[in-house]
Amino acid sequence: MNSSALPNIPWEDRPHGCSEVVWRYSRNPIIPRNLIPSSNSIFNSAVVPFNGRFAGVFRCDNKKREMNLHRGFSEDGIQWHLDDTPITWQCKDPELARFEYRYDPRVVWLEDRYYITWCNGYHGPTIGIGYTFDFETFYFLENAFLPYNRNGVLFPRKINGHYMMLSRPSDRGHTPFGDIFLSQSPDLIHWGQHRFVMRPKEGWQSTKIGAGPIPIETSEGWLLFYHGVLTSCNGFVYSFGAALLDLDQPWKVIARGGPYLMSPQTLYECVGDVPNVVFPCATLYDPPTGRLAIYYGAADTVVALAFAYIDEVVDFVKSTNDL
Ligand code: BMA
């Protein structure tokens, strides 16, 4: 998927006078909190190209404040139609069907289907893995890890014969720590050969970090957008930045951008159910033009869109490298 052209990628040119590497869509947020009747909020969601248009898996918290995953489609990647009811999963083992909560999905085209990972409540948060071929029937494969874990993000292809997934071991609560690790698997069910990737560092990413969208393969390494959290006197502040990981041994960080690429600054990022959060879960990419569309949750309330050129992001990571 990463290598195929996407001429219909949503796009808006960088505004005149703007020198940011990542700029916001002028008509953000693209998905309001009440797009469907059942929702309290819709945020931290993942989209992919699908049959010449777009499909996605969306985090919708309902009015009981249950966190669940809903399916959506779009012609242009901007205007979305979401099901009002959550995805139902086909499970071989009924134990997997137990619902606690499901949130923060990522979606990736991997070999022959779309895989979905999400934070799955199973006696605490862990990483659920499921798949779909058609966005009609969804299969729940397994819980990848022991609790507690969040931000499970698959690579879009096997590397040296292994599936690979980034994740962030955590606790049951609003975890005040967190490093990114990588785990490897022959079959997407059994995970091991765990490797350390990176830990928080001073400033915008001083409390915890977590992988964001599916890593993008470039000639310079895997481009990883990740969120970083700092603790202020008013609580957590979620920004995001980027790093480059080694193509063959992606637990090795080649470069890590010093400044953030985006911090919560607009009204819809600073006001909502959880103020001061930008949380990217997906990108779309058009290799011929280098255009990137970044989908992020804002203030745990709405979905917003931002744009960048991949070469500029890679240059930013290298030129501000602060390993
Ligand atoms: C994390 C997750 C995210 C959320 C963030 C900020 O622990 O719950 O879904 O965006 O906190 O509240």
Side-chain angles (χ1 to χ4, degrees):
M1 179 185 69
N2 276 339
S3 52
S4 30
L6 192 62
N8 58 338
I9 189 171
W11 186 252
E12 190 176 70
D13 283 333
R14 178 188 270 119
H16 290 293
C18 169
S19 57
E20 301 291 334
V21 176
V22 172
W23 63 96
R24 294 169 177 80
Y25 182 46
S26 61
R27 301 174 75 178
N28 271 348
I30 59 166
I31 300 184
R33 64 185 305 160
N34 59 353
L35 183 75
I36 51 176
S38 61
S39 64
N40 165 79
S41 45
I42 307 173
F43 54 110
N44 302 2
S45 298
V47 311
V48 286
F50 179 67
N51 289 348
R53 50 188 193 137
F54 302 93
V57 175
F58 294 80
R59 171 175 176 174
C60 300
D61 293 7
N62 69 18
K63 290 170 179 164
K64 289 199 234 165
R65 298 300 296 266
E66 292 168 329
M67 305 177 273
N68 214 331
L69 306 177
H70 291 228
R71 175 187 72 162
F73 293 111
S74 173
E75 290 298 323
D76 61 4
I78 292 176
Q79 269 205 300
W80 286 88
H81 303 279
L82 269 56
D83 293 346
D84 193 44
T85 51
I87 292 170
T88 49
W89 296 89
Q90 310 298 314
C91 305
K92 277 201 191 126
D93 181 350
E95 176 73 0
L96 289 179
R98 256 184 82 252
F99 172 76
E100 264 180 50
Y101 49 80
R102 301 180 182 131
Y103 66 75
D104 294 2
R106 283 32 171 214
V107 183
V108 61
W109 173 258
L110 178 51
E111 294 174 347
D112 61 350
R113 65 193 79 177
Y114 299 92
Y115 283 94
I116 301 141
T117 56
W118 68 93
C119 180
N120 188 51
Y122 185 72
H123 307 277
T126 181
I127 308 302
I129 303 185
Y131 61 88
T132 182
F133 294 98
D134 52 11
F135 285 88
E136 296 296 335
T137 309
F138 291 82
Y139 301 89
F140 192 154
L141 191 61
E142 257 308 333
N143 285 315
F145 304 129
L146 288 171
Y148 311 109
N149 206 310
R150 293 186 173 98
N151 297 301
V153 177
L154 287 166
F155 283 76
R157 64 169 173 84
K158 277 185 176 171
I159 301 168
N160 296 323
H162 293 127
Y163 297 104
M164 296 206 181
M165 180 155 64
L166 299 166
S167 75
R168 214 279 309 285
S170 63
D171 65 14
R172 280 175 167 277
H174 300 296
T175 314
F177 61 87
D179 302 348
I180 299 177
F181 285 82
L182 178 147
S183 304
Q184 307 181 55
S185 173
D187 56 7
L188 289 159
I189 293 176
H190 305 90
W191 293 88
Q193 294 170 290
H194 311 292
R195 300 286 182 270
F196 172 79
V197 181
M198 56 185 187
R199 63 169 51 88
K201 60 202 280 74
E202 66 282 355
W204 65 271
Q205 45 181 327
S206 50
T207 300
K208 54 180 171 175
I209 56 174
I214 304 304
I216 302 170
E217 189 165 7
T218 77
S219 56
E220 309 274 338
W222 293 101
L223 176 62
L224 175 69
F225 291 99
Y226 67 97
H227 63 262
V229 180
L230 71 74
T231 306
S232 83
C233 58
N234 281 324
F236 290 154
V237 177
Y238 280 70
S239 304
F240 72 83
L244 283 167
L245 309 178
D246 186 85
L247 285 176
D248 286 327
Q249 297 180 306
W251 54 91
K252 294 189 175 161
V253 183
I254 297 169
R256 182 169 176 180
Y260 60 69
L261 283 165
M262 183 187 287
S263 77
Q265 297 185 4
T266 66
L267 203 59
Y268 54 88
E269 294 159 357
C270 299
V271 177
D273 286 351
V274 183
N276 308 321
V277 180
V278 292
F279 195 103
C281 287
T283 57
L284 298 173
Y285 174 40
D286 179 41
T289 59
R291 291 175 171 180
L292 279 175
I294 304 167
Y295 289 78
Y296 66 99
D300 284 10
T301 305
V302 295
V303 177
L305 185 55
F307 305 104
Y309 285 103
I310 195 162
D311 290 349
E312 294 183 4
V313 179
V314 170
D315 286 349
F316 164 86
V317 172
K318 285 164 62 183
S319 64
T320 66
N321 181 22
D322 192 11
L323 259 185

mmCIF file of all heavy atoms in Angstrom, residues 58-95:
data_model
loop_
_atom_site.group_PDB
_atom_site.id
_atom_site.type_symbol
_atom_site.label_atom_id
_atom_site.label_comp_id
_atom_site.label_asym_id
_atom_site.label_seq_id
_atom_site.Cartn_x
_atom_site.Cartn_y
_atom_site.Cartn_z
ATOM 1 N N PHE A 58 -12.978 3.720 13.333
ATOM 2 C CA PHE A 58 -13.056 4.959 14.104
ATOM 3 C C PHE A 58 -13.314 4.666 15.570
ATOM 4 O O PHE A 58 -14.126 3.803 15.908
ATOM 5 C CB PHE A 58 -14.176 5.844 13.541
ATOM 6 C CG PHE A 58 -13.847 6.307 12.148
ATOM 7 C CD1 PHE A 58 -14.045 5.468 11.059
ATOM 8 C CD2 PHE A 58 -13.273 7.547 11.941
ATOM 9 C CE1 PHE A 58 -13.691 5.871 9.783
ATOM 10 C CE2 PHE A 58 -12.912 7.954 10.667
ATOM 11 C CZ PHE A 58 -13.126 7.111 9.586
ATOM 12 N N ARG A 59 -12.624 5.403 16.412
ATOM 13 C CA ARG A 59 -12.907 5.324 17.842
ATOM 14 C C ARG A 59 -14.104 6.213 18.146
ATOM 15 O O ARG A 59 -14.031 7.437 18.009
ATOM 16 C CB ARG A 59 -11.721 5.793 18.670
ATOM 17 C CG ARG A 59 -12.106 5.921 20.137
ATOM 18 C CD ARG A 59 -10.966 6.263 21.048
ATOM 19 N NE ARG A 59 -11.470 6.451 22.405
ATOM 20 C CZ ARG A 59 -10.693 6.648 23.459
ATOM 21 N NH1 ARG A 59 -9.379 6.658 23.305
ATOM 22 N NH2 ARG A 59 -11.217 6.825 24.646
ATOM 23 N N CYS A 60 -15.200 5.599 18.561
ATOM 24 C CA CYS A 60 -16.379 6.357 18.954
ATOM 25 C C CYS A 60 -16.677 6.022 20.406
ATOM 26 O O CYS A 60 -16.885 4.855 20.752
ATOM 27 C CB CYS A 60 -17.580 5.978 18.085
ATOM 28 S SG CYS A 60 -17.312 6.296 16.331
ATOM 29 N N ASP A 61 -16.663 7.018 21.240
ATOM 30 C CA ASP A 61 -17.113 6.841 22.619
ATOM 31 C C ASP A 61 -18.596 7.207 22.639
ATOM 32 O O ASP A 61 -18.968 8.275 22.143
ATOM 33 C CB ASP A 61 -16.327 7.745 23.571
ATOM 34 C CG ASP A 61 -14.846 7.339 23.686
ATOM 35 O OD1 ASP A 61 -14.405 6.446 22.928
ATOM 36 O OD2 ASP A 61 -14.141 7.924 24.519
ATOM 37 N N ASN A 62 -19.421 6.306 23.167
ATOM 38 C CA ASN A 62 -20.858 6.590 23.116
ATOM 39 C C ASN A 62 -21.318 7.392 24.338
ATOM 40 O O ASN A 62 -20.508 7.795 25.174
ATOM 41 C CB ASN A 62 -21.670 5.300 22.920
ATOM 42 C CG ASN A 62 -21.633 4.400 24.147
ATOM 43 O OD1 ASN A 62 -21.307 4.826 25.246
ATOM 44 N ND2 ASN A 62 -21.981 3.135 23.948
ATOM 45 N N LYS A 63 -22.603 7.591 24.417
ATOM 46 C CA LYS A 63 -23.120 8.466 25.480
ATOM 47 C C LYS A 63 -23.181 7.787 26.840
ATOM 48 O O LYS A 63 -23.527 8.414 27.830
ATOM 49 C CB LYS A 63 -24.467 9.061 25.053
ATOM 50 C CG LYS A 63 -24.276 10.087 23.933
ATOM 51 C CD LYS A 63 -25.554 10.543 23.295
ATOM 52 C CE LYS A 63 -25.244 11.571 22.210
ATOM 53 N NZ LYS A 63 -26.378 11.771 21.297
ATOM 54 N N LYS A 64 -22.863 6.477 26.871
ATOM 55 C CA LYS A 64 -22.590 5.854 28.164
ATOM 56 C C LYS A 64 -21.104 5.999 28.487
ATOM 57 O O LYS A 64 -20.654 5.535 29.516
ATOM 58 C CB LYS A 64 -22.939 4.361 28.126
ATOM 59 C CG LYS A 64 -24.416 4.062 28.075
ATOM 60 C CD LYS A 64 -24.613 2.607 28.506
ATOM 61 C CE LYS A 64 -25.383 1.812 27.513
ATOM 62 N NZ LYS A 64 -25.317 0.381 27.672
ATOM 63 N N ARG A 65 -20.353 6.557 27.558
ATOM 64 C CA ARG A 65 -18.893 6.679 27.604
ATOM 65 C C ARG A 65 -18.220 5.304 27.530
ATOM 66 O O ARG A 65 -17.166 5.074 28.112
ATOM 67 C CB ARG A 65 -18.408 7.472 28.824
ATOM 68 C CG ARG A 65 -18.915 8.928 28.854
ATOM 69 C CD ARG A 65 -18.482 9.747 27.652
ATOM 70 N NE ARG A 65 -17.046 9.931 27.548
ATOM 71 C CZ ARG A 65 -16.388 10.997 28.027
ATOM 72 N NH1 ARG A 65 -17.036 11.975 28.620
ATOM 73 N NH2 ARG A 65 -15.086 11.106 27.869
ATOM 74 N N GLU A 66 -18.855 4.404 26.730
ATOM 75 C CA GLU A 66 -18.166 3.171 26.359
ATOM 76 C C GLU A 66 -17.303 3.489 25.142
ATOM 77 O O GLU A 66 -17.738 4.215 24.249
ATOM 78 C CB GLU A 66 -19.175 2.079 25.981
ATOM 79 C CG GLU A 66 -19.993 1.581 27.150
ATOM 80 C CD GLU A 66 -21.178 0.733 26.711
ATOM 81 O OE1 GLU A 66 -21.721 0.966 25.613
ATOM 82 O OE2 GLU A 66 -21.575 -0.146 27.492
ATOM 83 N N MET A 67 -16.096 2.920 25.112
ATOM 84 C CA MET A 67 -15.166 3.162 24.016
ATOM 85 C C MET A 67 -15.248 1.981 23.047
ATOM 86 O O MET A 67 -15.057 0.840 23.466
ATOM 87 C CB MET A 67 -13.749 3.293 24.564
ATOM 88 C CG MET A 67 -13.634 4.357 25.652
ATOM 89 S SD MET A 67 -11.986 4.448 26.365
ATOM 90 C CE MET A 67 -12.079 3.220 27.648
ATOM 91 N N ASN A 68 -15.545 2.267 21.760
ATOM 92 C CA ASN A 68 -15.684 1.158 20.829
ATOM 93 C C ASN A 68 -15.252 1.585 19.433
ATOM 94 O O ASN A 68 -14.966 2.765 19.183
ATOM 95 C CB ASN A 68 -17.125 0.638 20.834
ATOM 96 C CG ASN A 68 -17.182 -0.869 20.616
ATOM 97 O OD1 ASN A 68 -16.297 -1.436 19.948
ATOM 98 N ND2 ASN A 68 -18.201 -1.506 21.159
ATOM 99 N N LEU A 69 -15.219 0.612 18.500
ATOM 100 C CA LEU A 69 -14.725 0.842 17.142
ATOM 101 C C LEU A 69 -15.878 0.765 16.150
ATOM 102 O O LEU A 69 -16.670 -0.184 16.184
ATOM 103 C CB LEU A 69 -13.671 -0.216 16.782
ATOM 104 C CG LEU A 69 -12.504 -0.327 17.769
ATOM 105 C CD1 LEU A 69 -11.565 -1.460 17.351
ATOM 106 C CD2 LEU A 69 -11.730 0.989 17.849
ATOM 107 N N HIS A 70 -15.946 1.747 15.264
ATOM 108 C CA HIS A 70 -16.999 1.803 14.262
ATOM 109 C C HIS A 70 -16.366 1.849 12.872
ATOM 110 O O HIS A 70 -15.287 2.403 12.694
ATOM 111 C CB HIS A 70 -17.862 3.064 14.443
ATOM 112 C CG HIS A 70 -18.706 3.054 15.681
ATOM 113 N ND1 HIS A 70 -20.045 3.381 15.659
ATOM 114 C CD2 HIS A 70 -18.413 2.764 16.976
ATOM 115 C CE1 HIS A 70 -20.540 3.304 16.887
ATOM 116 N NE2 HIS A 70 -19.573 2.934 17.699
ATOM 117 N N ARG A 71 -17.098 1.350 11.902
ATOM 118 C CA ARG A 71 -16.636 1.363 10.514
ATOM 119 C C ARG A 71 -17.072 2.651 9.831
ATOM 120 O O ARG A 71 -18.141 3.201 10.128
ATOM 121 C CB ARG A 71 -17.259 0.169 9.804
ATOM 122 C CG ARG A 71 -16.969 0.105 8.336
ATOM 123 C CD ARG A 71 -17.765 -1.004 7.719
ATOM 124 N NE ARG A 71 -19.187 -0.674 7.635
ATOM 125 C CZ ARG A 71 -20.042 -1.297 6.843
ATOM 126 N NH1 ARG A 71 -19.630 -2.319 6.104
ATOM 127 N NH2 ARG A 71 -21.307 -0.948 6.790
ATOM 128 N N GLY A 72 -16.233 3.133 8.877
ATOM 129 C CA GLY A 72 -16.625 4.309 8.100
ATOM 130 C C GLY A 72 -16.100 4.244 6.680
ATOM 131 O O GLY A 72 -15.136 3.528 6.390
ATOM 132 N N PHE A 73 -16.781 4.978 5.794
ATOM 133 C CA PHE A 73 -16.353 5.089 4.394
ATOM 134 C C PHE A 73 -16.358 6.556 3.982
ATOM 135 O O PHE A 73 -17.129 7.369 4.522
ATOM 136 C CB PHE A 73 -17.298 4.327 3.465
ATOM 137 C CG PHE A 73 -17.273 2.835 3.653
ATOM 138 C CD1 PHE A 73 -18.384 2.177 4.187
ATOM 139 C CD2 PHE A 73 -16.162 2.085 3.304
ATOM 140 C CE1 PHE A 73 -18.375 0.798 4.364
ATOM 141 C CE2 PHE A 73 -16.142 0.704 3.478
ATOM 142 C CZ PHE A 73 -17.264 0.064 4.001
ATOM 143 N N SER A 74 -15.526 6.858 2.970
ATOM 144 C CA SER A 74 -15.492 8.227 2.452
ATOM 145 C C SER A 74 -15.089 8.209 0.985
ATOM 146 O O SER A 74 -14.258 7.401 0.564
ATOM 147 C CB SER A 74 -14.476 9.046 3.256
ATOM 148 O OG SER A 74 -14.293 10.312 2.682
ATOM 149 N N GLU A 75 -15.667 9.111 0.213
ATOM 150 C CA GLU A 75 -15.267 9.265 -1.194
ATOM 151 C C GLU A 75 -13.957 10.032 -1.300
ATOM 152 O O GLU A 75 -13.140 9.774 -2.179
ATOM 153 C CB GLU A 75 -16.351 10.028 -1.969
ATOM 154 C CG GLU A 75 -17.638 9.261 -2.187
ATOM 155 C CD GLU A 75 -17.439 8.001 -3.013
ATOM 156 O OE1 GLU A 75 -16.609 8.018 -3.956
ATOM 157 O OE2 GLU A 75 -18.098 6.994 -2.712
ATOM 158 N N ASP A 76 -13.780 11.027 -0.437
ATOM 159 C CA ASP A 76 -12.659 11.965 -0.593
ATOM 160 C C ASP A 76 -11.692 12.003 0.593
ATOM 161 O O ASP A 76 -10.743 12.798 0.586
ATOM 162 C CB ASP A 76 -13.211 13.379 -0.846
ATOM 163 C CG ASP A 76 -14.060 13.895 0.304
ATOM 164 O OD1 ASP A 76 -14.166 13.184 1.335
ATOM 165 O OD2 ASP A 76 -14.617 14.998 0.181
ATOM 166 N N GLY A 77 -11.938 11.187 1.603
ATOM 167 C CA GLY A 77 -11.057 11.176 2.778
ATOM 168 C C GLY A 77 -11.347 12.299 3.758
ATOM 169 O O GLY A 77 -10.676 12.397 4.797
ATOM 170 N N ILE A 78 -12.325 13.117 3.442
ATOM 171 C CA ILE A 78 -12.616 14.276 4.307
ATOM 172 C C ILE A 78 -14.027 14.191 4.888
ATOM 173 O O ILE A 78 -14.235 14.377 6.076
ATOM 174 C CB ILE A 78 -12.414 15.584 3.507
ATOM 175 C CG1 ILE A 78 -10.915 15.748 3.199
ATOM 176 C CG2 ILE A 78 -12.943 16.792 4.284
ATOM 177 C CD1 ILE A 78 -10.560 16.917 2.338
ATOM 178 N N GLN A 79 -14.981 13.909 4.014
ATOM 179 C CA GLN A 79 -16.369 13.731 4.476
ATOM 180 C C GLN A 79 -16.613 12.254 4.728
ATOM 181 O O GLN A 79 -16.539 11.448 3.781
ATOM 182 C CB GLN A 79 -17.322 14.203 3.397
ATOM 183 C CG GLN A 79 -17.683 15.660 3.540
ATOM 184 C CD GLN A 79 -19.025 15.897 2.898
ATOM 185 O OE1 GLN A 79 -19.165 15.647 1.707
ATOM 186 N NE2 GLN A 79 -19.993 16.334 3.670
ATOM 187 N N TRP A 80 -16.932 11.910 5.953
ATOM 188 C CA TRP A 80 -17.033 10.503 6.337
ATOM 189 C C TRP A 80 -18.443 10.104 6.701
ATOM 190 O O TRP A 80 -19.202 10.896 7.247
ATOM 191 C CB TRP A 80 -16.085 10.229 7.516
ATOM 192 C CG TRP A 80 -14.656 10.193 7.061
ATOM 193 C CD1 TRP A 80 -13.797 11.262 6.961
ATOM 194 C CD2 TRP A 80 -13.940 9.059 6.584
ATOM 195 N NE1 TRP A 80 -12.584 10.844 6.471
ATOM 196 C CE2 TRP A 80 -12.644 9.504 6.240
ATOM 197 C CE3 TRP A 80 -14.263 7.704 6.427
ATOM 198 C CZ2 TRP A 80 -11.680 8.630 5.738
ATOM 199 C CZ3 TRP A 80 -13.294 6.841 5.927
ATOM 200 C CH2 TRP A 80 -12.020 7.300 5.586
ATOM 201 N N HIS A 81 -18.764 8.847 6.389
ATOM 202 C CA HIS A 81 -20.030 8.244 6.802
ATOM 203 C C HIS A 81 -19.693 7.084 7.721
ATOM 204 O O HIS A 81 -18.993 6.153 7.315
ATOM 205 C CB HIS A 81 -20.814 7.752 5.582
ATOM 206 C CG HIS A 81 -21.072 8.858 4.609
ATOM 207 N ND1 HIS A 81 -22.095 9.762 4.765
ATOM 208 C CD2 HIS A 81 -20.378 9.256 3.514
ATOM 209 C CE1 HIS A 81 -22.046 10.653 3.791
ATOM 210 N NE2 HIS A 81 -21.006 10.374 3.014
ATOM 211 N N LEU A 82 -20.151 7.154 8.943
ATOM 212 C CA LEU A 82 -19.835 6.121 9.935
ATOM 213 C C LEU A 82 -21.095 5.365 10.310
ATOM 214 O O LEU A 82 -22.184 5.952 10.382
ATOM 215 C CB LEU A 82 -19.272 6.774 11.219
ATOM 216 C CG LEU A 82 -17.749 6.964 11.317
ATOM 217 C CD1 LEU A 82 -17.199 7.745 10.158
ATOM 218 C CD2 LEU A 82 -17.389 7.632 12.636
ATOM 219 N N ASP A 83 -20.926 4.077 10.577
ATOM 220 C CA ASP A 83 -22.039 3.291 11.120
ATOM 221 C C ASP A 83 -22.346 3.788 12.526
ATOM 222 O O ASP A 83 -21.429 4.085 13.293
ATOM 223 C CB ASP A 83 -21.658 1.805 11.204
ATOM 224 C CG ASP A 83 -21.483 1.177 9.835
ATOM 225 O OD1 ASP A 83 -21.899 1.796 8.844
ATOM 226 O OD2 ASP A 83 -20.902 0.072 9.775
ATOM 227 N N ASP A 84 -23.624 3.796 12.847
ATOM 228 C CA ASP A 84 -23.998 4.232 14.198
ATOM 229 C C ASP A 84 -23.752 3.130 15.233
ATOM 230 O O ASP A 84 -23.669 3.409 16.426
ATOM 231 C CB ASP A 84 -25.466 4.665 14.221
ATOM 232 C CG ASP A 84 -25.805 5.410 15.504
ATOM 233 O OD1 ASP A 84 -25.000 6.277 15.918
ATOM 234 O OD2 ASP A 84 -26.855 5.120 16.100
ATOM 235 N N THR A 85 -23.639 1.898 14.762
ATOM 236 C CA THR A 85 -23.389 0.784 15.699
ATOM 237 C C THR A 85 -21.949 0.295 15.536
ATOM 238 O O THR A 85 -21.370 0.378 14.444
ATOM 239 C CB THR A 85 -24.348 -0.387 15.429
ATOM 240 O OG1 THR A 85 -24.283 -0.678 14.029
ATOM 241 C CG2 THR A 85 -25.768 -0.022 15.805
ATOM 242 N N PRO A 86 -21.385 -0.220 16.616
ATOM 243 C CA PRO A 86 -19.985 -0.664 16.565
ATOM 244 C C PRO A 86 -19.784 -1.879 15.662
ATOM 245 O O PRO A 86 -20.735 -2.624 15.364
ATOM 246 C CB PRO A 86 -19.665 -1.031 18.019
ATOM 247 C CG PRO A 86 -20.755 -0.482 18.845
ATOM 248 C CD PRO A 86 -21.958 -0.349 17.963
ATOM 249 N N ILE A 87 -18.551 -2.104 15.265
ATOM 250 C CA ILE A 87 -18.160 -3.309 14.526
ATOM 251 C C ILE A 87 -18.441 -4.532 15.403
ATOM 252 O O ILE A 87 -18.128 -4.519 16.593
ATOM 253 C CB ILE A 87 -16.651 -3.251 14.183
ATOM 254 C CG1 ILE A 87 -16.371 -2.138 13.163
ATOM 255 C CG2 ILE A 87 -16.138 -4.601 13.705
ATOM 256 C CD1 ILE A 87 -14.885 -1.844 12.950
ATOM 257 N N THR A 88 -19.032 -5.581 14.806
ATOM 258 C CA THR A 88 -19.113 -6.853 15.526
ATOM 259 C C THR A 88 -18.028 -7.775 14.966
ATOM 260 O O THR A 88 -17.791 -7.806 13.755
ATOM 261 C CB THR A 88 -20.491 -7.528 15.360
ATOM 262 O OG1 THR A 88 -20.818 -7.544 13.974
ATOM 263 C CG2 THR A 88 -21.559 -6.793 16.114
ATOM 264 N N TRP A 89 -17.378 -8.476 15.850
ATOM 265 C CA TRP A 89 -16.211 -9.272 15.473
ATOM 266 C C TRP A 89 -16.560 -10.747 15.454
ATOM 267 O O TRP A 89 -17.214 -11.253 16.369
ATOM 268 C CB TRP A 89 -15.071 -9.022 16.474
ATOM 269 C CG TRP A 89 -14.585 -7.604 16.443
ATOM 270 C CD1 TRP A 89 -15.070 -6.556 17.173
ATOM 271 C CD2 TRP A 89 -13.541 -7.074 15.622
ATOM 272 N NE1 TRP A 89 -14.380 -5.404 16.851
ATOM 273 C CE2 TRP A 89 -13.440 -5.686 15.913
ATOM 274 C CE3 TRP A 89 -12.664 -7.624 14.676
ATOM 275 C CZ2 TRP A 89 -12.516 -4.856 15.292
ATOM 276 C CZ3 TRP A 89 -11.730 -6.793 14.059
ATOM 277 C CH2 TRP A 89 -11.674 -5.430 14.357
ATOM 278 N N GLN A 90 -16.101 -11.446 14.418
ATOM 279 C CA GLN A 90 -16.193 -12.903 14.365
ATOM 280 C C GLN A 90 -15.023 -13.460 15.173
ATOM 281 O O GLN A 90 -13.868 -13.142 14.858
ATOM 282 C CB GLN A 90 -16.091 -13.416 12.916
ATOM 283 C CG GLN A 90 -17.017 -12.715 11.933
ATOM 284 C CD GLN A 90 -18.471 -12.903 12.290
ATOM 285 O OE1 GLN A 90 -18.906 -14.002 12.597
ATOM 286 N NE2 GLN A 90 -19.220 -11.804 12.280
ATOM 287 N N CYS A 91 -15.325 -14.252 16.203
ATOM 288 C CA CYS A 91 -14.261 -14.769 17.070
ATOM 289 C C CYS A 91 -14.328 -16.288 17.101
ATOM 290 O O CYS A 91 -15.385 -16.841 17.422
ATOM 291 C CB CYS A 91 -14.438 -14.276 18.503
ATOM 292 S SG CYS A 91 -14.558 -12.502 18.682
ATOM 293 N N LYS A 92 -13.212 -16.955 16.835
ATOM 294 C CA LYS A 92 -13.182 -18.418 16.969
ATOM 295 C C LYS A 92 -13.316 -18.805 18.436
ATOM 296 O O LYS A 92 -13.964 -19.774 18.780
ATOM 297 C CB LYS A 92 -11.869 -18.969 16.407
ATOM 298 C CG LYS A 92 -11.896 -19.145 14.901
ATOM 299 C CD LYS A 92 -10.825 -20.150 14.459
ATOM 300 C CE LYS A 92 -10.688 -20.112 12.953
ATOM 301 N NZ LYS A 92 -9.331 -19.881 12.491
ATOM 302 N N ASP A 93 -12.676 -18.035 19.291
ATOM 303 C CA ASP A 93 -12.712 -18.313 20.726
ATOM 304 C C ASP A 93 -13.645 -17.308 21.394
ATOM 305 O O ASP A 93 -13.348 -16.119 21.420
ATOM 306 C CB ASP A 93 -11.288 -18.184 21.284
ATOM 307 C CG ASP A 93 -11.230 -18.478 22.767
ATOM 308 O OD1 ASP A 93 -12.303 -18.585 23.407
ATOM 309 O OD2 ASP A 93 -10.110 -18.590 23.286
ATOM 310 N N PRO A 94 -14.770 -17.790 21.947
ATOM 311 C CA PRO A 94 -15.737 -16.860 22.556
ATOM 312 C C PRO A 94 -15.130 -16.000 23.665
ATOM 313 O O PRO A 94 -15.634 -14.929 23.967
ATOM 314 C CB PRO A 94 -16.840 -17.779 23.104
ATOM 315 C CG PRO A 94 -16.375 -19.163 22.921
ATOM 316 C CD PRO A 94 -15.189 -19.185 22.018
ATOM 317 N N GLU A 95 -14.050 -16.463 24.254
ATOM 318 C CA GLU A 95 -13.360 -15.678 25.280
ATOM 319 C C GLU A 95 -12.944 -14.309 24.737
ATOM 320 O O GLU A 95 -12.948 -13.312 25.461
ATOM 321 C CB GLU A 95 -12.134 -16.467 25.774
ATOM 322 C CG GLU A 95 -11.253 -15.762 26.778
ATOM 323 C CD GLU A 95 -11.864 -15.657 28.179
ATOM 324 O OE1 GLU A 95 -12.984 -16.143 28.387
ATOM 325 O OE2 GLU A 95 -11.208 -15.060 29.055
#
